[in-house]
Amino acid sequence: MSTTTVSTPVLEARDVSVHFGGIKAVEGVTLRLEPGLIHGIIGPNGSGKSTLIGAITRLTPLTHGELLFAGEPYQGTRASAMAGLGVARTFQTVRLLPDLNVRDNIQLGADARLGEVEQLPWHRRLRPTESPAVAEAIRRTGLDGWEDYFPSELSYGTQRRVEIARAIAMDPRLLLLDEPTAGMNQSERAEISRLLRDLRDEGLCQLLVEHDVQMMLDTCDYVFAMNFGKLIAEGTPAAVVQDPLVQEAYLGRKGRHNA
Ligand code: ADP
Ligand code: MG
């Protein structure tokens, strides 16, 4: 008899498909996200990475399959209620509210966890003083001094850090990051990688999509590779990037995509 205890995955997707008309953006994907690990998804442009994150976060309806969070099916949960479950995300394109300063944009994350965002317009909810979770998120993302700036006054890389701070301020149990370092320089990327690993060491389960293979090697504990909507490999980052199917997925599309 084995004495090994099998932990419940933070998230499980079972045979998940998302079709847009005839386009099979995600097809039969089964994966588990384990507690305290940084998981990555790699794959060429158009391989279904963002659609899979959309499906997991309930923004995009499933065509088929099952989703479980901490062992419980949650397909019936609306996207707006995902924060209440403890699922935070950043988007591939920055989605900050232009009329709110950095502090208030991050405060929205902290409020979302409380499930308040839907009920009240933001200007009636914002608190006069920032919550400790917001101060902590600002510090950890290196945004000290930027609190009173508006998104349009920030570089793209700094806007992305505000997005990450907003997600962290939610104190999530699962953090999904869709190309969080797009538009950042090398040293900014290294800082984000460090931050994600610190959060991992504190026990936060993450799912990261990035094009920078070196960053994925440096950051992830476990990697899934997608091509044409399907999972084609999974394992340690070093093993997955060496996988012949993965190499072919990138080489086979060279010239057609800039992935
Ligand atoms: P990735 O993030 O890996 O670059 P996406 O998930 O964005 O890939 O896209 C996967 C495929 O699904 C692409 O062919 C894309 O054009 C298509 N797709 C994504 N979203 C939609 C949508 N809302 N409607 C129709 N097709 C979509
Ligand atoms: Mg994408």
Side-chain angles (χ1 to χ4, degrees):
M1 292 289 283
S2 165
T3 54
T4 319
T5 47
V6 181
S7 64
T8 307
V10 174
L11 183 129
E12 216 179 327
R14 292 183 183 161
D15 199 17
V16 163
S17 297
V18 178
H19 298 174
F20 298 109
I23 299 169
K24 296 180 175 179
V26 172
E27 180 65 3
V29 168
T30 294
L31 56 76
R32 292 162 61 104
L33 305 183
E34 305 290 346
L37 293 185
I38 302 177
H39 310 75
I41 310 179
I42 62 170
N45 279 343
S47 57
K49 305 180 297 294
S50 294
T51 303
L52 180 59
I53 288 186
I56 288 173
T57 53
R58 302 290 303 114
L59 273 179
T60 309
L62 301 191
T63 306
H64 182 265
E66 205 182 351
L67 296 166
L68 297 95
F69 186 74
E72 300 289 331
Y74 69 93
Q75 278 106 296
T77 306
R78 285 176 306 149
S80 58
M82 289 303 291
L85 270 186
V87 178
R89 70 169 297 179
T90 65
F91 288 90
Q92 184 168 352
T93 46
V94 170
R95 295 196 187 183
L96 298 172
L97 294 185
D99 298 333
L100 296 189
N101 65 21
V102 165
R103 180 187 298 104
D104 292 343
N105 263 290
I106 298 170
Q107 181 73 53
L108 282 181
D111 292 347
R113 180 64 197 265
L114 303 175
E116 292 173 354
V117 156
E118 271 232 307
Q119 277 76 36
L120 295 171
W122 58 265
H123 50 85
R124 285 170 51 198
R125 278 187 308 92
L126 292 174
R127 301 186 178 91
T129 54
E130 72 190 26
S131 65
V134 172
E136 168 84 352
I138 287 171
R139 185 187 62 75
R140 297 194 75 158
T141 50
L143 287 167
D144 314 78
W146 294 102
E147 294 90 334
D148 296 319
Y149 285 77
F150 288 84
S152 62
E153 301 173 301
L154 306 176
S155 73
Y156 192 65
T158 304
Q159 290 181 37
R160 304 221 64 129
R161 278 190 287 145
V162 179
E163 279 238 323
I164 297 168
R166 180 170 59 181
I168 294 172
M170 213 182 273
D171 189 22
R173 294 159 72 190
L174 171 63
L175 175 59
L176 305 132
L177 304 119
D178 197 352
E179 302 192 24
T181 71
M184 290 188 189
N185 65 35
Q186 202 60 43
S187 71
E188 287 173 316
R189 281 173 185 220
E191 280 170 29
I192 296 302
S193 175
R194 177 78 260 159
L195 170 63
L196 300 184
R197 283 176 287 142
D198 286 347
L199 292 166
R200 182 267 319 273
D201 293 344
E202 293 162 23
L204 179 60
C205 177
Q206 296 163 64
L207 181 60
L208 172 67
V209 173
E210 272 296 342
H211 277 303
D212 181 341
V213 171
Q214 190 56 50
M215 175 160 180
M216 294 302 265
L217 285 166
D218 294 343
T219 312
C220 296
D221 303 297
Y222 197 88
V223 170
F224 302 96
M226 292 184 75
N227 196 24
F228 295 116
K230 294 183 178 170
L231 280 191
I232 56 168
E234 65 180 277
T236 63
V240 168
V241 298
Q242 291 300 323
D243 188 289
L245 281 178
V246 175
Q247 301 237 333
E248 194 193 316
Y250 280 96
L251 294 174
R253 291 187 177 193
K254 221 173 196 174
R256 285 201 289 139
H257 297 272
N258 56 5

